C-alpha cells in the first residue's frame, strides 16, 4: 500500500542563532586543528553531536576539565559558571566561548541583581547547564525551582526578583509570577525567555493546526523541545515525538495524510529533511 503522505517542514524550525553560532565556531576550529574539546554536549541533539564527533569533536565532562592543560575548549551556547573560567585560567586552557549572547546578557543581569543584594529566584531545570551557569552568577545563592510546588517547602524572602531560564514556557512563567503575587510576595518578574523560543510558542499553534499529523523532532534532553512538543500536542493531539527516523512507524499515519514536521531550537534541519524523505517514501 502506498501512503502518499503530503509532508511539510515548519520553516521556523531548525537551529536558533545561538546554536548556529556555536556549531559554526566548532566546525571552523575542527577544520583547522582536526579536533576540539567541548564542555558537555554541544547541542541537545544526539544526531548532531555524532556528526560533529566524527569530525573530531571530543565531549568532556566538567570533572575532566581540571585534568586538562594547554588545550582549546569550546563553551557551548548554554554558557558556563565563573568557576569554569577560573579553572581554564589555572590550566592554561584557551576557551572558545560560544556562549549565546542572549544567555550572556541574562548572566549579566542576574549578576547585577545579585550585586545589589536582592534575593533571586530562577525558574529553570535543576542540573541544566544554562541554569548552573546562571546560578553561578549568584555564588549559588539563587533559589532554583522547576515546579512551583517545590516552593511550598521553602521559606522565601518577602521580596525577590524572578528570572527564567531562556528556554522555559512563557505561559508557565507568567502563571508562576501571578501565583507568587497571589501568595502575597513582592515579586519583580523579568521575562527572560528567549524570543527564539517564545515566538515559536506563538507561531507553532497555527502551523500544527493545518495538518492531520505532526511529527515533532527533538532530542530527549532538550528543554525547549519539551516545551514546544507540548505546544504542538495541545493544538494538534495527533502529534508524535521522535528523535530520529528509526522512531517513525507506519502505523502512525493514514494514506493521504497531510503531515507537518517541526522541531526544537536544537534540531538540525538536515535531520528533519531526512525524516521528510522517509515519510515520502512510505
Ligand atoms: S534558544 Fe535563544 S538563548 Fe538559547 S541558544 Fe538559542 S538563541 Fe540563545
Amino acid at each position: 500500500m502506498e501512503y502518499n503522505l503530503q509532508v511539510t517542514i515548519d520553516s521556523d524550525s531548525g537551529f536558533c542563532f545561538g546554536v548556529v553560532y556555536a556549531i559554526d565556531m566548532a566546525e571552523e576550529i575542527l577544520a583547522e586543528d582536526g579536533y576540539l574539546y567541548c564542555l558537555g554536549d554541544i547541542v541537545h541533539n544526539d544526531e548532531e553531536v555524532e556528526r560533529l564527533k566524527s569530525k573530531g569533536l571530543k565531549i568532556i565532562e566538567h570533572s575532566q576539565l581540571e585534568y586538562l592543560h594547554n588545550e582549546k575548549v569550546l563553551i557551548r551556547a548554554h554558557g558556563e559558571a565563573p568557576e569554569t573560567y577560573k579553572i581554564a585560567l589555572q590550566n592554561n586552557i584557551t576557551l572558545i566561548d560560544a556562549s549565546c549572547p542572549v544567555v550572556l546578557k541574562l548572566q549579566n543581569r542576574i549578576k547585577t541583581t545579585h550585586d545589589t543584594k536582592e534575593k533571586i529566584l530562577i525558574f529553570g531545570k535543576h542540573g541544566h547547564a544554562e541554569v548552573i551557569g546562571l546560578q553561578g552568577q549568584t555564588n549559588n545563592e539563587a533559589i532554583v525551582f522547576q515546579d512551583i510546588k517545590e516552593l511550598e517547602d521553602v521559606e522565601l524572602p518577602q521580596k525577590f526578583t524572578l528570572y527564567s531560564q531562556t528556554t522555559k514556557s512563557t505561559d508557565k512563567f507568567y502563571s508562576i509570577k501571578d501565583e507568587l503575587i497571589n501568595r502575597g510576595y513582592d515579586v519583580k518578574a523579568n521575562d527572560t525567555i528567549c524570543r527564539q523560543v517564545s515566538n515559536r510558542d506563538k507561531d507553532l499553534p497555527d502551523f500544527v493546526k493545518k495538518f492531520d499529523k505532526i511529527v515533532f523532532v527533538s532530542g530527549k534532553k532538550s528543554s525547549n523541545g519539551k516545551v514546544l512538543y507540548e505546544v504542538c500536542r495541545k493544538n494538534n493531539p495527533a502529534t508524535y515525538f521522535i528523535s530520529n527516523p528509526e522512531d517513525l512507524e507506519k502505523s502512525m499515519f493514514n494514506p493521504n495524510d497531510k503531515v507537518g514536521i517541526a522541531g526544537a531550537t536544537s534540531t538540525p534541519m538536515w535531520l528533519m529533511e531526512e525524516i521528510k524523505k522517509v515519510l515520502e517514501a512510505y
Side-chain angles (χ1 to χ4, degrees), residues 230-248:
E230 278 309 320
V231 173
C232 291
R233 215 176 48 93
K234 216 165 100 188
N235 292 282
N236 186 337
T239 296
Y240 296 102
F241 185 105
I242 70 156
S243 296
N244 52 55
E246 288 79 59
D247 293 342
L248 288 169

Side-chain angles (χ1 to χ4, degrees), residues 12 52 83-84 99 129 152 173 185:
D12 292 330
L52 291 164
E83 182 65 15
T84 301
S99 303
E152 280 160 16
F173 177 79
Y185 295 109

Side-chain angles (χ1 to χ4, degrees), residues 41-276:
D41 284 347
I42 184 163
V43 56
H44 284 157
N45 187 280
D46 292 346
E47 286 66 26
E48 181 66 6
V49 170
E50 284 310 314
R51 189 185 72 83
L52 291 164
K53 272 188 184 168
S54 73
K55 292 187 167 192
L57 193 74
K58 298 169 194 266
I59 309 284
I60 55 165
E61 303 291 329
H62 283 80
S63 56
Q64 292 169 275
L65 191 67
E66 284 169 43
Y67 305 102
L68 206 67
H69 292 84
N70 315 317
E71 292 283 0
K72 287 181 190 166
V73 176
L74 183 95
I75 291 184
R76 59 195 169 166
H78 294 317
E80 282 294 323
E83 182 65 15
T84 301
Y85 293 85
K86 220 194 294 167
I87 297 171
L89 203 61
Q90 284 162 3
N91 290 8
N92 194 33
I93 287 169
T94 308
L95 290 178
I96 312 294
D97 197 343
S99 303
C100 173
V102 178
V103 175
L104 283 182
K105 198 170 151 207
L106 174 56
Q107 287 187 346
N108 280 333
R109 282 182 74 178
I110 291 183
K111 185 172 184 320
T112 308
T113 306
H114 176 70
D115 289 347
T116 59
K117 311 258 179 289
E118 280 175 47
K119 302 286 178 211
I120 298 173
L121 261 69
I122 301 172
F123 171 44
K125 190 176 170 205
H126 294 294
H128 188 285
E130 180 191 321
V131 177
I132 293 170
L134 298 179
Q135 207 187 15
Q137 308 304 317
T138 69
N139 204 16
N140 294 327
E141 288 169 22
I143 298 170
V144 173
F145 67 102
Q146 58 192 39
D147 191 315
I148 190 146
K149 282 195 207 109
E150 292 170 37
L151 299 181
E152 280 160 16
D153 310 324
V154 181
E155 203 173 313
L156 295 181
Q158 175 53 28
K159 190 175 171 191
F160 54 81
T161 303
L162 176 66
Y163 283 104
S164 171
Q165 181 182 352
T166 56
T167 47
K168 281 291 184 195
S169 145
T170 319
D171 286 353
K172 275 203 188 123
F173 177 79
Y174 282 103
S175 71
I176 284 168
K177 172 194 161 193
D178 292 345
E179 174 63 27
L180 290 169
I181 291 172
N182 284 342
R183 289 185 193 178
Y185 295 109
D186 184 348
V187 185
K188 194 158 111 199
N190 292 303
D191 168 1
T192 48
I193 294 154
C194 174
R195 294 298 153 232
Q196 297 261 319
V197 178
S198 60
N199 288 344
R200 296 279 314 281
D201 261 22
K202 289 188 211 107
D203 299 337
L204 254 187
D206 293 337
F207 175 79
V208 302
K209 281 176 196 155
K210 293 186 210 148
F211 299 93
D212 300 310
K213 304 279 160 60
I214 295 295
V215 172
F216 186 80
V217 190
S218 168
K220 293 193 175 70
K221 283 190 241 166
S222 165
S223 285
N224 81 91
K226 285 189 192 96
V227 172
L228 296 175
Y229 167 66
E230 278 309 320
V231 173
C232 291
R233 215 176 48 93
K234 216 165 100 188
N235 292 282
N236 186 337
T239 296
Y240 296 102
F241 185 105
I242 70 156
S243 296
N244 52 55
E246 288 79 59
D247 293 342
L248 288 169
E249 281 169 31
K250 279 190 179 166
S251 60
M252 295 170 174
F253 308 97
N254 293 317
N256 305 313
D257 266 352
K258 280 198 284 170
V259 182
I261 300 179
T265 57
S266 50
T267 307
M269 192 47 90
W270 63 260
L271 184 61
M272 288 184 278
E273 272 157 8
E274 236 178 74
I275 285 162
K276 182 174 190 261

